[in-house]
Amino acid sequence: MEKIRNLINITDLSAAEIDHLIETADDIIADPEKYQDICTHKILATLFFEPSTRTRLSFTAAMMGLGGNVLGFDQAASSSTAKGESVSDTIVMASCYADIIAMRHPKEGAPYVGAQYSSVPVINAGDGGHFHPTQTLTDLMTIHRKMGRLGGYTIGLCGDLKFGRTVHSLIDALLRYDDVRYVMISPEELELPDYIKETLERAGVEWKEVRSLEEAIPELDILYMTRVQKERFFNEEDYVRLKDSFILTRKMLGPAKETLAVLHPLPRVNEIARDVDEDPRACYFYQALMGKYIRMALILYLLGIK
Ligand code: NCD
């Protein structure tokens, strides 16, 4: 029997596999009709133990775009978890009903554990403050479409670098591409975790930490904004103090490069002012759209559908 492929961490995929997914997603965008019935009778289970709008909807839209069906739940309270069921039992049960599972959980490592019990592929749709590999695929797809390459630029990562799982997975992915320089923009309390700083050091890449978004902006080719992750704070006071640390406004884009791409995994709270939306450099809604196509490509790949 062929080994089941899961996606728990972005590094579960080789750079060549990521290229293949991007190529497939490009082809889907060019000719969506070719793919619209390719997953007929296939079922995706979305097991979301933690709230989500974009990730769950984009997985659902992706499976529907392939002609497949979707079942699942969108909060732990509406699943048997509320009755005390373990993650492993929920996964075993779901893999009886579905061909592939996308799972989000507030506990780091839960999708990895779930995958050990599943008889179908499991995709980590975000585990606590840990990783979010399908957001990273979305980010890479956006960078590819907007810049035509995956390396050779300076990227600023701004906001909650401590709890922001999308940042952690994105760094893991970008370390594979040549000539990427990193500017980490955060308050001291929300700096990258030490284990990620060590990864950057080991990789020998050019990176620095700064406290001012304004000062960083002129040198950036990509600005990746993130929200302060309220749900991972231990007390409300710290959240309130830090939540508006960085607010990108259109005025601040004055000295930015014409070709800058502003990304954000969304949801946005206050960190990007509405007036930025009209600027051609704002790519975050386009990015949300790319999330659907790259997830279509991923579902096909993990199901082994050519
Ligand atoms: C991100 C997440 O869930 O980590 N959102 C998403 O998946 N698009 C970012 C966030 O919640 O801030």
Side-chain angles (χ1 to χ4, degrees):
M1 207 178 102
E2 235 178 86
K3 198 171 170 289
I4 297 168
R5 284 297 301 273
N6 302 304
L7 177 60
I8 304 301
N9 188 342
I10 191 68
T11 50
D12 294 342
L13 292 168
S14 68
E17 286 178 310
I18 291 177
D19 286 348
H20 168 77
L21 293 178
I22 289 177
E23 240 172 70
T24 307
D26 276 337
D27 196 53
I28 295 171
I29 293 170
D31 190 359
E33 283 177 14
K34 198 164 89 191
Y35 293 86
Q36 69 189 7
D37 298 317
I38 203 166
C39 278
T40 317
H41 306 304
K42 295 284 182 202
I43 297 174
L44 164 75
T46 54
L47 311 184
F48 278 60
F49 297 86
E50 191 189 70
S52 162
T53 308
R54 236 152 323 273
T55 305
R56 195 171 54 79
L57 290 187
S58 67
F59 266 113
T60 303
M63 195 50 162
M64 287 176 163
L66 297 168
N69 295 305
V70 184
L71 49 80
F73 52 83
D74 59 6
Q75 46 183 318
S78 61
S79 77
S80 284
T81 306
K83 299 181 188 168
E85 186 176 58
S86 64
V87 165
S88 56
D89 281 2
T90 307
I91 288 277
V92 172
M93 182 274 307
S95 57
C96 296
Y97 302 143
D99 300 285
I100 185 163
I101 294 171
M103 173 182 172
R104 168 171 287 198
H105 202 283
K107 285 221 174 75
E108 287 81 1
Y112 172 78
V113 173
Q116 313 304 307
Y117 294 89
S118 176
S119 52
V120 302
V122 173
I123 301 170
N124 176 7
D127 60 329
H130 215 186
F131 298 126
H132 194 348
T134 63
Q135 180 62 47
T136 300
L137 291 175
T138 303
D139 303 340
L140 294 175
M141 179 70 186
T142 310
I143 294 171
H144 153 77
R145 299 277 297 189
K146 287 285 170 188
M147 310 197 50
R149 60 186 192 277
L150 292 174
Y153 45 71
T154 300
I155 182 168
L157 298 151
C158 178
D160 187 346
L161 309 187
K162 180 178 180 184
F163 297 118
R165 56 193 173 194
T166 65
V167 167
H168 303 163
S169 284
L170 183 56
I171 292 173
D172 263 347
L174 292 182
L175 285 176
R176 290 182 171 156
Y177 301 103
D178 289 337
D179 192 25
V180 179
R181 293 161 301 280
Y182 304 81
V183 184
M184 309 301 180
I185 311 153
S186 75
E188 196 179 341
E189 289 102 317
L190 298 179
E191 277 179 10
L192 281 175
D194 285 343
Y195 76 95
I196 297 188
K197 290 188 190 177
E198 282 156 23
T199 310
L200 289 162
E201 284 300 319
R202 266 198 311 275
V205 295
E206 211 181 298
W207 74 284
K208 62 181 175 186
E209 288 179 302
V210 302
R211 303 273 174 247
S212 158
L213 175 57
E214 278 94 335
E215 277 171 36
I217 279 180
E219 67 175 306
L220 303 179
D221 300 297
I222 301 170
L223 171 58
Y224 192 92
M225 294 295 294
T226 62
R227 88 185 153 92
V228 175
Q229 304 279 299
K230 182 179 184 190
E231 64 278 34
R232 315 223 187 275
F233 274 74
F234 294 112
N235 69 67
E236 175 86 14
E237 230 171 80
D238 285 346
Y239 171 70
V240 170
R241 186 166 47 80
L242 293 167
K243 71 181 174 52
D244 294 328
S245 300
F246 300 104
I247 300 178
L248 178 70
T249 60
R250 189 152 192 190
K251 189 159 167 259
M252 284 161 70
L253 288 175
K257 293 184 182 172
E258 279 296 308
T259 52
L260 173 74
V262 179
L263 273 60
H264 190 311
L266 302 177
R268 126 176 88 179
V269 186
N270 276 336
E271 57 283 350
I272 301 183
R274 306 269 150 190
D275 63 358
V276 178
D277 297 0
E278 286 105 60
D279 192 290
R281 291 167 285 193
C283 299
Y284 28 93
F285 291 114
Y286 178 78
Q287 188 181 357
L289 175 65
M290 291 303 105
K292 171 181 149 180
Y293 297 117
I294 200 74
R295 286 181 175 95
M296 289 170 88
L298 178 68
I299 290 169
L300 289 178
Y301 188 64
L302 295 181
L303 288 177
I305 296 173
K306 299 271 184 316

